[in-house]
Amino acid sequence: MIICSYIDECVDDNGGCEEICVNKPGSFNCACPEGLRLASNGRHCLDVNECLLRNGHGPCQDTCTNLHGGYTCSCDGIPGTQLAADNHTCEDVDECSGGTAGCSHTCISTLGRVFCMCPPGYELGEDWKTCHDINECDLEDTPPSCPNSCVNTVGSYICVDEPQQRSPEEQEPCESGYSRDETGNCVGKSQRSPNSSFRKLC
Ligand SMILES: [Ca+2]
Ligand SMILES: [Ca+2]
């Protein structure tokens, strides 16, 4: 009767391996964890410099720093960006998040810079942050559609009806019991007072 017994070389001093010893029937070999490679002596593990690829960037979009058994990426070389959740690419830092970054209205962030924008009817002030109403009635380059009856409003403007220029003879007669006063309004004959509660507009 022949009894075969395998010797586990890894039991004794880890088989002489620096990191991982893999026992096999009749033999064994050394291995290294991810990020390290087996040295030519078959026992020691050497670091892999992942950053040597791509002109020193390695797998990183920007800066690659080699570590023993690994590497780390950073985005110090691309202003306005930060390392994304994938730990490799660089993403724009949104300076507008959590606030308006000083903009009175709309905040836009791109590549580390903040731009403020204004809604229609407003223009950006000298601080490049605060939106001020445009007085459309005073615009010379693009005058309003009603240059003679323009009233500026916040964010826009309105056109008010121009006052009637017709002479009293051309105006329609007032209802019975009313007559037209000096401003052209029909007022009760017995209440010819500007403050009268019986004042009636035609
Ligand atoms: Ca490394
Ligand atoms: Ca306006």
Side-chain angles (χ1 to χ4, degrees):
M1 184 175 178
I2 300 174
I3 299 175
C4 297
S5 63
Y6 294 116
I7 299 172
D8 184 352
E9 295 88 346
C10 293
V11 172
D12 185 15
D13 193 26
N14 198 35
C17 300
E18 182 181 5
E19 295 283 350
I20 302 169
C21 181
V22 182
N23 184 42
K24 294 179 177 180
S27 72
F28 75 101
N29 66 270
C30 300
C32 298
E34 189 176 348
L36 299 176
R37 62 182 174 85
L38 200 60
S40 57
N41 63 14
R43 297 179 183 277
H44 292 119
C45 293
L46 303 176
D47 175 54
V48 176
N49 188 345
E50 297 86 350
C51 299
L52 291 178
L53 300 169
R54 299 177 58 245
N55 282 358
H57 292 286
C60 305
Q61 181 177 344
D62 184 35
T63 305
C64 180
T65 303
N66 183 46
L67 302 174
H68 182 80
Y71 63 95
T72 183
C73 300
S74 69
C75 297
D76 300 340
I78 307 178
T81 66
Q82 62 188 10
L83 198 61
D86 63 9
N87 288 326
H88 287 80
T89 58
C90 301
E91 65 181 9
D92 181 39
V93 176
D94 186 3
E95 287 86 355
C96 298
S97 66
T100 57
C103 298
S104 69
H105 287 71
T106 306
C107 176
I108 294 177
S109 160
T110 175
L111 293 178
R113 298 193 62 189
V114 169
F115 298 92
C116 299
M117 292 189 65
C118 299
Y122 293 81
E123 61 186 354
L124 210 52
E126 292 182 352
D127 62 358
W128 301 107
K129 291 184 175 181
T130 309
C131 298
H132 300 284
D133 171 56
I134 296 172
N135 187 342
E136 292 85 353
C137 300
D138 285 348
L139 293 179
E140 294 184 358
D141 294 340
T142 54
S145 57
C146 51
N148 297 321
S149 61
C150 179
V151 174
N152 184 47
T153 65
V154 176
S156 183
Y157 71 96
I158 58 173
C159 298
V160 296
D161 290 336
E162 296 187 41
Q164 296 287 333
Q165 297 296 324
R166 291 185 296 179
S167 66
E169 294 75 35
E170 295 174 316
Q171 293 172 341
E172 296 176 12
C174 295
E175 289 180 27
S176 174
Y178 293 87
S179 64
R180 205 170 289 280
D181 68 3
E182 55 277 358
T183 62
N185 294 318
C186 292
V187 295
K189 286 180 178 173
S190 60
Q191 304 287 340
R192 283 184 68 88
S193 164
N195 296 322
S196 168
S197 60
F198 291 94
R199 207 162 191 226
K200 182 176 185 297
L201 295 177
C202 288

